[in-house]
Amino acid sequence: MIVLGISDNHDSGACLLKDKEIIAAVNEERLRREKLIGGFPYCSVEKVLELSKVSPESIDFIVIASVMTPSCLLRLLDRFHDSLRRQTSSFSYLLNLYFIYQVLIHYLKLPEVAEKLLSIEIIKRRLRTFNLKARFILIDHHYAHAASAYYTSGDDCEALILTADAMGDALSVTVNIGKGRYIKRIFSQSGFSAISTYYSRLTEFLKFSPLKHEGKITALAGYGRFNREVMQLAKSQFYFVNKKKIFNVKNHFIKEAINDRLHKKLKVYLQEDIAYNFQKNFEEEVAKFVEHWVKETNIHNIYLAGGVFANVSLNKRLSKINDIKKLYIFPHMGDGGLSLGASLYFLKPVPFYFKDIYLGPG
């Protein structure tokens, strides 16, 4: 069986698997030389077909990562969407509306079905160029993240799989159990979770580019010092609610601004101290989340995926949790790994060791 995997949102890309073996995978940014470029990955599809020496007619399934992220309208206007995403502030009310739209559509169910059908038609049109006529499968965004970690872990023993990012298919956080060849979701939190905007808005407030330079904030934190007042402000923005098993909820109907009361208070402090305290709070609250689910499930093999786990300082903190026996983070944990994750979720192979990441052109 030959499967072509496609991710067409943030950091878009494609992969090709043959009989459950990864033949090729590459992201659009590597070919177009524009960091984290989104939209439909024409160049990536062309390249994986070239590298694998597979004819379009021989492909059995085309697997799309994410059902409605982006939504069908944004899939139709993919280049406009990518440009808008890069230019729009993380404090923009447009972003709030997008969170609200996705969450409502997801819980209403019927509109989500319409989103799915329209998205398939749009993607079919995109692929006419390649003469691809295989059957289409759309995979939930966070199941794709979970699959990327579980199936490349090399261990089919019972595992706790945690995913977290800004939002994908209306969700920001999921908790899953993997065993044998299957993944079962046991918990999820919507895009209203405070984790969805906590770090991107911090990045923009410190005058870096959100969804691009978060890693610079993690590095900047290494130069900062603890400050009680800044830490209290950080804790007011993001915390884990143990009794409810969730992170605090953001009301996206209320607009936040870069010059609101919170950020005016922060302006008097050094950038590195702000980064340190917000990072430290982030690590401790996510660690509480992980510790909770380890105790709840009594599972000690932990696999992680999603953009949140690109934060290497956070991952180091999680590695120190005593109850964790094994900690594995999928190497391309952000949306750039979704095409492979979606393909693996569809194929459900026995978990294998991910030998290397050299899957694109030399």
Side-chain angles (χ1 to χ4, degrees):
M1 183 189 295
I2 301 176
V3 173
L4 173 66
I6 294 174
S7 173
D8 61 342
N9 190 39
H10 177 68
D11 196 8
S12 61
C15 69
L16 193 135
L17 288 80
K18 187 175 182 181
D19 298 326
K20 301 181 182 179
E21 180 186 355
I22 306 166
I23 305 299
V26 68
N27 285 68
E28 203 75 352
E29 67 165 15
R30 301 291 166 170
L31 304 172
R32 296 183 58 178
R33 314 305 299 167
E34 191 173 347
K35 187 175 180 179
L36 299 175
I37 189 169
F40 194 83
Y42 290 101
C43 296
S44 301
V45 172
E46 183 178 28
K47 184 57 69 175
V48 296
L49 289 172
E50 176 192 320
L51 291 171
S52 60
K53 298 180 173 59
V54 166
S55 65
E57 296 81 11
S58 63
I59 291 172
D60 299 297
F61 291 93
I62 297 168
V63 180
I64 310 300
S66 299
V67 175
M68 57 175 183
T69 301
S71 65
C72 59
L73 179 60
L74 295 179
R75 275 187 160 126
L76 186 62
L77 306 169
D78 62 332
R79 292 303 168 211
F80 169 74
H81 173 223
D82 187 53
S83 175
L84 181 67
R85 181 176 56 81
R86 290 165 180 272
Q87 295 172 22
T88 301
S89 165
S90 62
F91 290 91
S92 169
Y93 201 63
L94 281 175
L95 182 61
N96 290 41
L97 291 174
Y98 189 60
F99 279 109
I100 294 166
Y101 173 80
Q102 286 244 330
V103 173
L104 286 176
I105 290 293
H106 177 68
Y107 287 104
L108 289 172
K109 297 300 179 186
L110 191 58
E112 187 176 29
V113 173
E115 274 275 359
K116 184 175 182 178
L117 294 173
L118 288 169
S119 286
I120 287 173
E121 288 305 311
I122 291 164
I123 294 166
K124 277 183 180 177
R125 286 175 55 186
R126 301 273 189 233
L127 290 171
R128 282 177 188 166
T129 312
F130 302 99
N131 196 32
L132 289 160
K133 298 176 182 178
R135 184 181 170 189
F136 281 78
I137 306 290
L138 268 67
I139 302 295
D140 171 90
H141 184 100
H142 281 270
Y143 271 129
H145 273 317
S148 70
Y150 180 63
Y151 292 115
T152 63
S153 67
D155 191 347
D156 64 353
C157 294
E158 193 171 42
L160 184 63
I161 313 159
L162 308 174
T163 71
D165 61 15
M167 184 182 68
D169 287 343
L171 303 177
S172 286
V173 178
T174 74
V175 179
N176 313 268
I177 293 176
K179 191 172 183 180
R181 294 172 54 198
Y182 299 95
I183 295 171
K184 179 183 178 182
R185 182 177 293 170
I186 60 171
F187 172 83
S188 64
Q189 187 174 359
S190 80
F192 289 166
S193 165
I195 205 169
S196 62
T197 55
Y198 177 81
Y199 222 92
S200 60
R201 286 179 177 172
L202 171 65
T203 302
E204 184 170 344
F205 172 73
L206 293 177
K207 310 215 182 298
F208 292 91
S209 301
L211 300 180
K212 187 177 181 182
H213 291 156
E214 279 77 358
K216 295 184 179 182
I217 307 306
T218 308
L220 182 63
Y223 295 89
R225 294 181 178 182
F226 175 78
N227 181 291
R228 189 179 302 277
E229 290 76 21
V230 178
M231 182 59 79
Q232 286 176 345
L233 291 171
K235 287 190 177 299
S236 72
Q237 295 302 295
F238 177 65
Y239 51 91
F240 181 64
V241 186
N242 196 65
K243 288 183 179 179
K244 295 183 178 180
K245 309 177 185 180
I246 64 171
F247 294 110
N248 62 304
V249 172
K250 280 280 185 183
N251 185 348
H252 288 301
F253 289 95
I254 298 174
K255 178 174 170 54
E256 288 187 24
I258 202 166
N259 59 351
D260 61 17
R261 187 178 176 186
L262 166 75
H263 295 93
K264 282 179 180 176
K265 287 182 179 179
L266 284 173
K267 280 183 179 179
V268 301
Y269 299 103
L270 293 172
Q271 282 191 318
E272 56 267 38
D273 289 348
I274 297 170
Y276 172 88
N277 288 277
F278 271 70
Q279 169 70 26
K280 186 73 172 175
N281 179 59
F282 191 62
E283 292 176 17
E284 292 306 318
E285 297 307 312
V286 175
K288 288 177 187 177
F289 163 76
V290 175
E291 287 169 339
H292 171 87
W293 284 104
V294 170
K295 289 175 183 176
E296 178 101 352
T297 61
N298 197 33
I299 299 172
H300 305 279
N301 292 330
I302 312 300
Y303 305 152
L304 309 172
V308 162
F309 302 110
N311 191 311
V312 292
S313 184
L314 166 65
N315 296 341
K316 182 179 179 181
R317 168 66 183 84
L318 299 180
S319 72
K320 294 178 180 178
I321 296 174
N322 291 331
D323 286 340
I324 291 180
K325 179 181 175 182
K326 176 184 176 181
L327 182 69
Y328 170 68
I329 301 102
F330 179 62
H332 209 337
M333 71 294 288
D335 284 5
L338 282 175
S339 64
L340 180 55
S343 301
L344 292 173
Y345 185 80
F346 170 68
L347 290 168
K348 294 178 173 53
V350 174
F352 57 90
Y353 284 107
F354 198 44
K355 296 177 183 177
D356 62 59
I357 56 173
Y358 304 109
L359 297 166

